[in-house]
Amino acid sequence: MKITYWSDFACPYCYIGNTRLKRAIDDLNLDVEFDIRAFELDQNAPENVQSTTVERFSKKYGLSLEDAKRQVAQISGLGHDEGIDFKYETTLYTNTRDAHRLMKLAQSKYHDKVEKLSESLFDAYFVENLKLADKDVLLKIASDAELDENDVKDVLNSNLYNSEVENDENIALSVGIHAVPFYLFDNKYSIPGALSYDDFKKVLTQIIAENEVDDDKKADSCSNGACKI
């Protein structure tokens, strides 16, 4: 099974949704190929922190600071339920373009490190509360994920993989994706948002069953050295 998904490393529901999905995949013992696509929640986000998460949440959704703090805490609680030491209130919101460019480097040259880098970037933001626009922070994250330091520096000190990030985002907008996470299963089934673990498991089970039916139909159409059209 192939799962394509658009997400941002500063998106709490992306981290929570991915964690639920991967748990369902593990429990069903599935062989899955992931295709991670970039989606910046704010392409014009600053390089430096300009407000707290609660202040930004309050302004974005028109909430009082008290209500915003309550909702931020509820989201952190969802992360805690997934076993993540989620610290949403103290995240340091900045631009994530460089983080996405490093992901494109990994996808291009370090295929077996992609998932590790993705999880490390989410962890850095939501658990360690690091600034993902900080090149030194990104260099350490990428190096710890076993990407070559020189390759990482080449990306961070240039515009490499900018076009790949922009292409992902243009594709998303062209098909009507305006929020993340957004999942596409086997290029056929789309799921917007972070489903519960149980719902992800139901979706995966249904797709498996439908794929088995399709395989049976293909087998039935071919026999005696000939295939029916």
Side-chain angles (χ1 to χ4, degrees):
M1 184 183 299
K2 180 178 180 180
I3 300 177
T4 303
Y5 67 88
W6 281 261
S7 68
D8 191 12
F9 299 111
C11 165
Y13 287 109
C14 293
Y15 194 12
I16 293 167
N18 291 352
T19 302
R20 291 170 175 169
L21 173 59
K22 290 174 183 176
R23 182 156 63 94
I25 289 169
D26 288 343
D27 287 351
L28 291 171
N29 196 30
L30 300 181
D31 183 16
V32 171
E33 173 192 354
F34 287 107
D35 181 13
I36 301 173
R37 301 296 183 93
F39 189 104
E40 298 165 277
L41 292 174
D42 181 2
Q43 296 178 359
N44 299 311
E47 296 292 328
N48 294 299
V49 180
Q50 295 185 353
S51 62
T52 68
T53 299
V54 171
E55 289 169 344
R56 187 169 47 80
F57 206 90
S58 170
K59 182 178 180 180
K60 182 176 181 178
Y61 296 106
L63 302 171
S64 68
L65 288 175
E66 182 178 342
D67 286 341
K69 185 172 184 177
R70 186 179 300 111
Q71 290 202 21
V72 167
Q74 288 174 348
I75 294 171
S76 287
L78 295 176
H80 295 155
D81 291 343
E82 299 305 320
I84 307 168
D85 186 15
F86 217 86
K87 305 184 184 79
Y88 188 27
E89 183 175 342
T90 47
T91 52
L92 301 178
Y93 186 73
T94 59
N95 196 282
T96 58
R97 173 61 66 95
D98 285 345
H100 285 294
R101 292 195 302 120
L102 285 183
M103 178 54 60
K104 291 303 170 189
L105 167 65
Q107 290 173 309
S108 175
K109 298 183 65 175
Y110 301 92
H111 303 119
D112 60 333
K113 309 300 180 186
V114 168
E115 283 302 309
K116 182 176 182 180
L117 178 62
S118 176
E119 291 179 9
S120 295
L121 288 166
F122 276 119
D123 207 53
Y125 186 74
F126 287 104
V127 176
E128 300 179 64
N129 289 159
L130 301 177
K131 191 168 70 170
L132 291 188
D134 188 311
K135 287 180 170 53
D136 289 334
V137 167
L138 291 172
L139 177 61
K140 184 177 188 310
I141 293 170
S143 297
D144 288 347
E146 301 180 48
L147 275 63
D148 182 81
E149 184 174 317
N150 290 325
D151 283 346
V152 174
K153 288 180 177 178
D154 285 344
V155 171
L156 294 177
N157 294 324
S158 71
N159 289 320
L160 284 171
Y161 298 106
N162 244 346
S163 59
E164 286 84 348
V165 172
E166 291 170 354
N167 184 58
D168 281 357
E169 295 177 331
N170 288 336
I171 291 173
L173 293 177
S174 72
V175 297
I177 300 172
H178 298 286
V180 287
F182 188 95
Y183 301 92
L184 181 62
F185 295 80
D186 283 341
N187 293 316
K188 294 190 293 185
Y189 312 92
S190 59
I191 300 291
L195 299 183
S196 68
Y197 160 80
D198 287 336
D199 285 341
F200 269 131
K201 198 169 182 179
K202 288 177 184 176
V203 169
L204 291 168
T205 302
Q206 180 178 344
I207 294 172
I208 293 168
E210 291 180 8
N211 286 342
E212 288 175 349
V213 169
D214 289 341
D215 289 342
D216 288 343
K217 288 181 179 178
K218 290 176 184 178
D220 290 341
S221 68
C222 296
S223 61
N224 297 323
C227 293
K228 299 176 184 177
I229 298 176

